Amino acid sequence: MAETELERAEKRYAQAKARLQALKNREATRQRKLDTRRKVILGGALMDLAERDTSAAAMLDRLIRNLSREQDRKAFAEWDTPSHSPSPDTGQSDAT
């Protein structure tokens, strides 16, 4: 039985629709990966800053204490919030 023009058009439409959905899925995956990468980078930057800045350390501690999900808080159970250690060069000179 030969396909009618309508059947061929419906088949092409279904294939195009499937290609469009695949493209949307790939873009959503790309966006999720980019979002995760940004979060990891910002988290690392905050942790690094917290080692050098008491207000950043306090903010990091507050963020951890206020995590809403128990499983997220458990990830930090054995982790100590960085304590502020002054840098060797505090900008003060011993020379008078």
Side-chain angles (χ1 to χ4, degrees):
M1 181 164 138
E3 278 186 313
T4 66
E5 187 175 342
L6 178 60
E7 289 169 335
R8 286 191 303 270
E10 286 176 341
K11 187 176 178 181
R12 285 193 311 270
Y13 171 74
Q15 291 170 339
K17 193 173 176 181
R19 284 193 306 271
L20 177 61
Q21 188 59 50
L23 285 171
K24 287 180 179 181
N25 292 344
R26 279 196 296 272
E27 178 60 18
T29 298
R30 190 185 74 77
Q31 288 296 327
R32 279 193 307 277
K33 286 181 179 181
L34 183 58
D35 184 55
T36 298
R37 186 174 194 292
R38 288 174 178 150
K39 289 174 183 176
V40 168
I41 291 168
L42 284 175
L46 177 59
M47 290 169 67
D48 182 54
L49 180 62
E51 292 178 3
R52 297 177 276 122
D53 183 323
T54 54
S55 63
M59 174 61 75
L60 185 58
D61 183 56
R62 185 175 176 198
L63 287 169
I64 292 168
R65 283 185 286 114
N66 287 294
L67 290 171
S68 60
R69 295 180 348 155
E70 180 65 27
Q71 66 190 47
D72 293 341
R73 285 192 304 275
K74 283 182 181 179
F76 292 95
E78 296 178 15
W79 185 74
D80 289 325
T81 305
S83 59
H84 177 65
S85 55
S87 62
D89 181 19
T90 59
Q92 296 176 340
S93 173
D94 290 334
T96 50

